[in-house]
């Protein structure tokens, strides 16, 4: 039986964030170059997006390329940038057809011109999508975005536009790249590592964390459904007591 049938449609996580890890190790285990793992990872994303839509998830944010990934060998960085262009071209018509809206978070200024242009074109072409928002975190890291927000707010204080007292959690959140999305409810990391690698640190304050050993190229809808079922078995207390939470849901 599919895990999909075990999902309570009333408590589907609105926003799922994924750290798509393990492409290189998957390829190595098959005696293939790392690039083959990245290529296979595109299909996993396609399938997982389909699964997320099927389950009723509204936002899917995927860690595609971190700020730290710029330190990988030049050849691998180039492969990844080219793969993104290829994948976007390949996927745009299907995204439009399926009501997927593409968004990007991260330092787009660091991307090669053609990668940035392709991304921007796809964002425009899919802007009307209402079913699910796919957010690619590219050249993204939390420390980058938090430092950037702090700089912006500091400049506004300096210019007398706001007072230091006006800086609240909400104001800081509004200067992050994720301003238009709710915080993730569920964070999944594939590939066996148990860390968050500078991903959405502010936003996952109360997300449920789910780690699995499956390498990203082998991950698909069933694995996502399984994670959602596990998510639904957890009690999200947000600092309250279990009794308070069960009173609230009565
Ligand atoms: C994730 O897979 C993809 C990116 C980070 C771009 P990796 O390339 O990190 O694969 P492993 O972790 O080396 O197996
Ligand atoms: C995190 O994976 C970044 C992406 C999945 C894009 P990494 O493979 O770069 O993370 P570390 O280096 O193992 O922490
Ligand atoms: Mg990795």
């Amino acid at each position: 039986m599919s895990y999909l049938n075990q999902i309570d449609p009333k408590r589907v996580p609105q926003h799922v964030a994924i750290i798509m890890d393990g492409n290189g190790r998957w390829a190595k285990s098959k005696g293939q170059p790392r690039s083959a793992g990245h290529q296979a990872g595109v299909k996993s994303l396609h399938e997982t997006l389909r699964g997320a839509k099927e389950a009723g998830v509204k936002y899917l944010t995927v860690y595609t390329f971190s700020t730290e990934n710029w330190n990988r060998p030049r050849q691998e960085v180039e492969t990844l940038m080219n793969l993104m262009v290829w994948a976007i071209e390949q996927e745009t018509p299907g995204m439009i057809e399926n009501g997927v809206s593409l968004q990007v978070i991260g330092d787009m200024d660091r991307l090669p011109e053609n990668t940035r242009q392709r991304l921007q074109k796809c964002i425009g072409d899919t802007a009307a999508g209402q079913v699910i928002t796919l957010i690619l975190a590219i050249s993204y890291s939390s420390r980058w975005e938090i430092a950037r927000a702090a700089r912006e707010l500091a400049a506004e204080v300096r210019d007398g536009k706001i007072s230091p007292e006006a800086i609240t959690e909400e104001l800081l959140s509004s200067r992050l790249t994720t301003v238009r999305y709710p915080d993730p409810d569920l964070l999944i990391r594939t590939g066996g590592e148990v860390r968050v690698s500078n991903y959405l640190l502010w936003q996952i304050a109360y997300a449920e964390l789910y780690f699995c050993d499956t390498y990203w190229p082998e991950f698909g809808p069933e694995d996502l459904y399984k994670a959602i079922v596990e998510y639904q078995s957890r009690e999200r207390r947000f600092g309250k007591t279990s009794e308070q939470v069960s009173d609230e849901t009565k």
Side-chain angles (χ1 to χ4, degrees):
M1 191 173 83
S2 168
Y3 279 103
L4 184 59
N5 304 318
Q6 296 180 40
I7 295 176
D8 173 357
K10 292 194 290 296
R11 292 188 300 122
V12 172
Q14 195 185 8
H15 185 170
V16 175
I18 305 184
I19 301 175
M20 310 184 290
D21 196 24
N23 294 352
R25 282 164 286 157
W26 177 84
K28 195 174 175 194
S29 75
K30 297 184 116 37
Q32 291 174 11
R34 293 178 60 84
S35 57
H38 297 314
Q39 177 78 47
V42 175
K43 185 162 169 283
S44 290
L45 179 54
H46 176 97
E47 293 297 316
T48 303
L49 174 64
R50 186 173 58 74
K53 183 176 159 248
E54 191 71 32
V57 171
K58 298 304 286 180
Y59 300 89
L60 182 70
T61 302
V62 293
Y63 212 0
T64 308
F65 191 86
S66 72
T67 302
E68 288 75 21
N69 288 151
W70 286 115
N71 299 321
R72 289 196 178 189
R74 198 169 56 94
Q75 181 71 50
E76 179 162 345
V77 171
E78 255 173 48
T79 301
L80 285 163
M81 293 298 144
N82 292 333
L83 185 60
M84 276 189 254
V85 172
W86 174 85
I88 288 157
E89 273 181 20
Q90 177 108 337
E91 298 289 330
T92 303
M95 289 201 278
I96 295 169
E97 201 174 309
N98 288 294
V100 179
S101 144
L102 185 88
Q103 303 271 305
V104 175
I105 56 172
D107 188 356
M108 297 274 270
D109 293 344
R110 286 186 77 175
L111 298 178
E113 186 62 27
N114 75 323
T115 307
R116 188 171 49 240
Q117 276 177 6
R118 286 287 163 193
L119 284 166
Q120 254 142 11
K121 179 157 190 328
C122 184
I123 292 168
D125 290 348
T126 61
Q130 296 280 345
V131 181
I132 186 168
T133 303
L134 172 66
I135 302 143
L136 304 180
I138 304 179
S139 189
Y140 170 89
S141 73
S142 275
R143 289 183 173 186
W144 163 78
E145 85 168 331
I146 293 169
R148 178 173 163 272
R151 262 195 313 279
E152 204 178 292
L153 292 172
E156 289 176 30
V157 171
R158 180 198 59 205
D159 298 342
K161 292 187 184 141
I162 56 168
S163 68
E165 293 70 33
I167 302 176
T168 57
E169 291 183 18
E170 289 70 29
L171 189 67
L172 200 133
S173 292
S174 77
R175 303 310 167 92
L176 299 179
T177 59
T178 48
V179 52
R180 282 181 287 163
Y181 323 121
D183 285 343
D185 303 291
L186 169 64
L187 171 74
I188 299 171
R189 182 173 188 142
T190 67
E193 310 294 357
V194 186
R195 55 176 172 254
V196 289
S197 304
N198 214 350
Y199 191 44
L200 301 171
L201 301 181
W202 173 278
Q203 297 88 341
I204 61 170
Y206 267 105
E208 294 298 326
L209 310 184
Y210 180 92
F211 298 93
C212 66
D213 290 334
T214 312
Y215 292 141
W216 177 249
E218 302 210 316
F219 193 90
E222 273 307 311
D223 303 282
L224 174 70
Y225 302 152
K226 189 176 172 195
I228 294 176
V229 169
E230 158 81 26
Y231 162 87
Q232 293 189 331
S233 77
R234 307 218 189 138
E235 181 181 59
R236 301 185 78 190
R237 289 193 286 277
F238 298 97
K240 295 184 178 173
T241 67
S242 187
E243 290 70 20
Q244 285 175 298
V245 174
S246 41
D247 281 351
E248 279 168 6
T249 49
K250 266 180 198 153

